[in-house]
């Protein structure tokens, strides 16, 4: 009996790997949640601790909260902001210090 090999070709949709993301796969849920938490925490602190007029408060909050939110939404190096900060602390805690011995001592060049 003659059995033919059949090729199954499937079209992979463009949003195949977009599970767990919002806005068409641009933002991950973790980054959105971290940005929301950071904005709420810093916004509450600035709202309660700045003893100035409302206009000045709004300007200060826009200048500080927008960059925090944008960095948290984008992430750093493909990771969320808190993951990146965790990697930095892990690196600082576990870094190695290399010590080299001097071979041959100090040699002075005489002219």
């Amino acid at each position: 009996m003659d059995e033919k090999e059949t090729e199954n070709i499937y079209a992979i949709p463009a949003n195949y790997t977009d599970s767990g993301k919002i806005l068409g796969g641009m933002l991950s849920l973790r980054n959105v949640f971290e940005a929301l938490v950071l904005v709420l925490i810093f916004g509450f602190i600035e709202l309660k601790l700045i003893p100035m007029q409302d206009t000045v408060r709004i300007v200060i909050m826009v200048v500080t909260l927008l960059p925090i939110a944008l960095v948290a939404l984008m992430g750093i190096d493909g990771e969320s902001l808190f993951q990146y900060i965790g990697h930095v602390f892990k690196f600082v805690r576990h870094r190695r210090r290399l010590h080299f011995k001097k071979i041959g001592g100090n040699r002075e060049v005489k002219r």
Side-chain angles (χ1 to χ4, degrees):
M1 305 237 177
D2 191 15
E3 293 183 23
K4 290 185 177 180
E5 291 184 27
T6 59
E7 289 186 27
N8 294 331
I9 300 174
Y10 300 101
I12 299 174
N15 61 354
Y16 173 71
T17 59
D18 291 345
S19 62
K21 297 191 175 195
I22 59 173
L23 292 178
M26 288 176 39
L27 304 172
S28 71
L29 288 175
R30 179 180 178 126
N31 290 0
V32 172
F33 180 73
E34 288 180 3
L36 185 66
V37 167
L38 286 173
V39 167
L40 288 176
I41 290 172
F42 285 112
F44 181 76
I45 290 171
E46 289 178 358
L47 192 63
K48 293 298 178 184
L49 294 182
I50 296 177
M52 296 182 186
Q53 299 173 356
D54 291 338
T55 308
V56 175
R57 276 190 201 157
I58 291 171
V59 169
I60 291 174
M61 289 175 79
V62 165
V63 168
T64 58
L65 294 181
L66 274 178
I68 290 172
L70 289 176
V71 169
L73 285 173
M74 289 186 312
I76 297 175
D77 203 21
E79 298 177 342
S80 70
L81 186 61
F82 289 149
Q83 283 177 329
Y84 184 78
I85 291 171
H87 289 305
V88 169
F89 283 135
K90 186 176 178 182
F91 169 76
V92 168
R93 189 175 36 174
H94 294 299
R95 67 180 168 194
R96 292 185 276 165
R97 294 188 178 107
L98 302 176
H99 300 283
F100 298 103
K101 292 181 182 178
K102 289 184 180 179
I103 298 176
N106 291 336
R107 294 185 185 179
E108 294 182 18
V109 178
K110 295 181 181 179
R111 293 183 185 188

